[in-house]
Amino acid sequence: MRAFIWDLDGTLLDSYGVITSSAVDALKEYGISADPEELLRYMKNRSLTSWLRNASGESGVPFEKLIGRYAEITHERDDRITLMSGAAETLRGLRKGGGANYVYTHRGKSAYTVLERLGVLGEFDDLITNEDGFAPKPSGDGIRELMRRHGLEPEESCYIGDRPMDVLCARDAGVTAVLFRPADGCVEPTGQEDLIISDLPEIIDWGLSDRSSNDVFQE
């Protein structure tokens, strides 16, 4: 494997606490209550955008107001985001072994500032965020653009994410689908994964070995 394309939130970034609390607080300002654990579970298996659209439909509060206020609050809390355990070690290990790291994320320009603050921005060859204008996941358009820019072949590329949406995104782009599923996670595999890992550094030996991209294992 040559190219490792990464999702950020919940995969490399330990940010779900910030995302969840920001969404709950934004909803509260409009008189909408939300259970944090339920919201988190829904977000991991579907999306926060879908949750906010449902809340908008049920409450009558315009979706644009909810998503806008959420964006403001979460941006103010970006400094609370940390790296997932083993993230820096994994990124550096892959680069040291001859791999290249890329990002395809629904996060906006804050992806750059957060990764720079955490000291790992230099571990990536390129990033595509939601501000680049590609169709959102599960479309694989963002991955295809990274492959086009850098001359990557599908068989030498993988996409690593923590949600079913990420697996479907990888499938759409025709690259190896890697699901990051921590032991304490609430996401069920889709059955379309090529690889399931419970700890980020696991991908180093797999990714830099001669194993087939069709090998699947789960801790």
Side-chain angles (χ1 to χ4, degrees):
M1 198 63 63
R2 172 189 167 197
F4 301 85
I5 306 171
W6 295 89
D7 169 57
L8 287 183
D9 293 302
T11 303
L12 293 176
L13 299 182
D14 189 355
S15 55
Y16 279 151
V18 169
I19 293 171
T20 302
S21 66
S22 299
V24 169
D25 289 347
L27 290 166
K28 188 183 299 183
E29 289 185 8
Y30 290 97
I32 306 169
S33 62
D35 177 79
E37 291 187 7
E38 182 181 348
L39 191 156
L40 177 60
R41 187 175 300 107
Y42 185 98
M43 177 175 62
K44 284 186 174 182
N45 285 283
R46 297 186 185 182
S47 72
L48 177 61
T49 299
S50 176
W51 177 284
L52 294 177
R53 286 194 185 280
N54 290 340
S56 171
E58 293 173 1
S59 67
V61 178
F63 169 75
E64 291 73 18
K65 287 188 175 182
L66 294 179
I67 194 74
R69 185 57 183 136
Y70 158 75
E72 292 172 353
I73 295 174
T74 194
H75 179 67
E76 295 168 356
R77 299 175 181 177
D78 277 347
D79 60 352
R80 302 182 191 178
I81 295 173
T82 60
L83 286 173
M84 297 292 285
S85 175
E89 169 193 344
T90 300
L91 293 170
R92 290 165 184 155
L94 291 171
R95 282 176 64 87
K96 184 177 180 180
N101 295 306
Y102 305 90
V103 166
Y104 174 47
T105 177
H106 281 172
R107 179 174 283 271
K109 62 183 179 182
S110 66
Y112 292 89
T113 55
V114 170
L115 291 172
E116 183 173 26
R117 176 177 62 79
L118 295 173
V120 294
L121 181 59
E123 302 300 327
F124 299 98
D125 288 36
D126 198 0
L127 287 77
I128 286 184
T129 74
N130 70 2
E131 298 196 9
D132 289 297
F134 292 96
K137 305 173 194 178
S139 167
D141 286 354
I143 294 176
R144 280 187 283 269
E145 173 61 14
L146 284 170
M147 295 168 65
R148 185 195 67 78
R149 288 182 189 177
H150 301 280
L152 306 174
E153 297 296 333
E155 60 269 19
E156 64 182 5
S157 307
C158 65
Y159 186 56
I160 310 106
D162 67 300
R163 297 188 295 165
M165 183 182 296
D166 297 316
V167 174
L168 297 178
C169 178
R171 281 291 176 215
D172 187 63
V175 302
T176 297
V178 180
L179 177 66
F180 173 47
R181 185 173 180 257
D184 59 351
C186 61
V187 171
E188 292 300 320
T190 67
Q192 300 186 58
E193 297 82 4
D194 293 299
L195 179 70
I196 299 172
I197 60 174
S198 59
D199 188 53
L200 290 176
E202 290 177 35
I203 203 168
I204 299 176
D205 288 341
W206 171 82
L208 300 179
S209 74
D210 293 327
R211 294 181 184 179
S212 164
S213 62
N214 291 321
D215 285 352
V216 179
F217 68 86
Q218 181 175 354
E219 295 298 319

